[in-house]
Amino acid sequence: MSDLGIRYATALFEMSEEGGLLNEYLEQSLFLCSVLKDEDALRILTHPLISAGEKNDFLSKAFGESVHQDLLGFMKLVIAKNREAYLLPALIKLSEMIKAHSNQTTARVVSAVPLTDGQAAQLTATLTRKLGKMVDITVIVDPSVIAGISIQVEGYFLDRTVRTMLKDMRESIKRSDTI
């Protein structure tokens, strides 16, 4: 991420901390990130032929009631300065900064089938205990892993999927054939 995106995120983080709004900003920045990851919404905000006024109207109508005025003001400032490309990276960085400050993290879990509520709760509790942080899991269902799960969190990666085990076995057999 560029220095400018980090500066935007840092300024928002400091505002949220001073105002005692860390949790509110986290929730709303995650919401905005999920909306802006949709190509159509981001395309509206980055399209060069759509005026800044039209983009601001879009933001006010879409988010005026659901996000804090400081976040809305930030988005409008970014548009006014013609720096829309920094919007999503700054919001992602903001949520990361708040999570780190609040001793929270997110784990990315890939599974062949959806996890039951009990499995998700047990995995969350185990990761929270092991990492010493509150862990929120994001489960991605990918039938190509066949069975098992992979977990990516805080720079760690654990892969116990059947797909990976089969791949490792195939590579081991190839290596033994060449010896």
Side-chain angles (χ1 to χ4, degrees), residues 108-127:
R108 182 178 180 267
V109 177
V110 179
S111 172
V113 295
L115 299 180
T116 65
D117 291 341
Q119 290 169 326
Q122 184 178 7
L123 182 58
T124 299
T126 300
L127 290 172

Side-chain angles (χ1 to χ4, degrees), residues 31-103:
F31 164 71
L32 289 169
C33 287
S34 69
V35 171
L36 294 177
K37 283 182 181 175
D38 176 6
E39 290 180 18
D40 291 335
L42 196 55
R43 194 174 303 139
I44 290 170
L45 295 177
T46 58
H47 198 286
L49 297 178
I50 298 176
S51 72
E54 291 171 313
K55 292 175 184 179
N56 285 335
D57 288 344
F58 168 74
L59 289 175
S60 294
K61 289 177 184 171
F63 306 116
E65 299 294 319
S66 56
V67 299
H68 194 276
Q69 290 303 307
D70 290 343
L71 287 173
L72 190 61
F74 157 72
M75 292 190 296
K76 289 181 177 183
L77 172 70
V78 169
I79 288 169
K81 296 204 174 265
N82 204 23
R83 295 178 176 157
E84 293 90 337
Y86 297 103
L87 188 57
L88 184 58
L91 290 168
I92 291 170
K93 184 65 178 173
L94 171 64
S95 62
E96 290 171 356
M97 291 171 79
I98 294 172
K99 283 182 177 184
H101 178 77
S102 303
N103 205 27

Side-chain angles (χ1 to χ4, degrees), residues 150-169:
S150 70
I151 303 168
Q152 185 175 357
V153 61
E154 299 258 319
Y156 296 102
F157 185 68
L158 173 70
D159 191 338
R160 296 293 184 249
T161 61
V162 170
R163 176 179 62 191
T164 299
M165 290 177 195
L166 290 172
K167 182 181 135 223
D168 292 346
M169 195 180 313

